[in-house]
Amino acid sequence: MSTTDTDGDRPTVTQFTDPMCTWCWGSEPVVRRLRVAFGEQIRIRYVLGGLVEDFGAFHDAANDITDPSDVAPHWVEASRQHGMPVDTEIFETDPAQSTYPASKAFAAARRQETELAHRYLRRLREAYTTEVRNVNDREVQVELAESVGLDVDEFTTALDDGTAQAAFEDDLSRTRDAGVRAFPTYHIRGPGGERRAAGFRSFEELTTALRAVDPSLEQSSPPPMRRFVAEYGPVATREVAAVYELDAGKARQVLASLVDDGTVRRESRGNGFFWRSNDGGGD
């Protein structure tokens, strides 16, 4: 898969990413709003960037990070800005020493159906940032693969026979060749050309880039909130606020009304809340 390939003339949004990057986690509301707003008019793809190969040899001077324990304050500060929940207990109980094993797991999932692979990447992010689960552990990786409907035998075979490793290395080469230094970074391509946006970006910024490469795109209104929660759940408050253009307080108020009528249930995780449908929707 090319980082910039398209299905005919359909615009492609490629995110250079890492499963454990907090700013990539923070981009989930933006990506979900893109999916809701443009649907099948666009295609979303992910290229793995390899954030940290080995914390033993890692130093991020900009954020004063040299050890996994240093990441916790960075997560908390980032969460204040991007609005997605985090639980920093993972850095006390079972911090990851690398982001590469989880990246290879997504590379293995990507060998299967695209939408399932995207659901798997979401679960990797969610499990590590809000469920205090080290997604580098094979047992956790397999459990998450099964939970989203991936073929577990095919998934584990890709991990064991070198297929996932080769795909991950290919992604690393693409990231280097593209000169990507920040995650997420977006490469947007369509019939009208290409655009690039580095770092955390808003829905409006990405929409402007999309319309620059395809002015014919039409933006749709979101579905009823209960349907959104059923399709995408569990969803964080921030994701609902982004999709429905609400402030956090109003989003919580509307979601609470769905809890009161029995449509939705609330889950507390870390410093925030998730909302899940009672009608069997969600992962």
Side-chain angles (χ1 to χ4, degrees), residues 16 47-49 166-179:
F16 290 85
V47 173
L48 297 157
F168 177 49
E169 290 176 358
D170 186 47
D171 276 20
L172 293 180
S173 294
R174 296 175 188 180
T175 301
R176 286 193 296 269
D177 291 345

Side-chain angles (χ1 to χ4, degrees), residues 96-115:
Q97 297 302 315
S98 170
T99 68
Y100 278 32
S103 296
K104 293 172 192 174
F106 173 60
R110 202 174 53 193
R111 304 291 298 176
Q112 300 184 43
E113 198 270 324
T114 298
E115 187 55 38

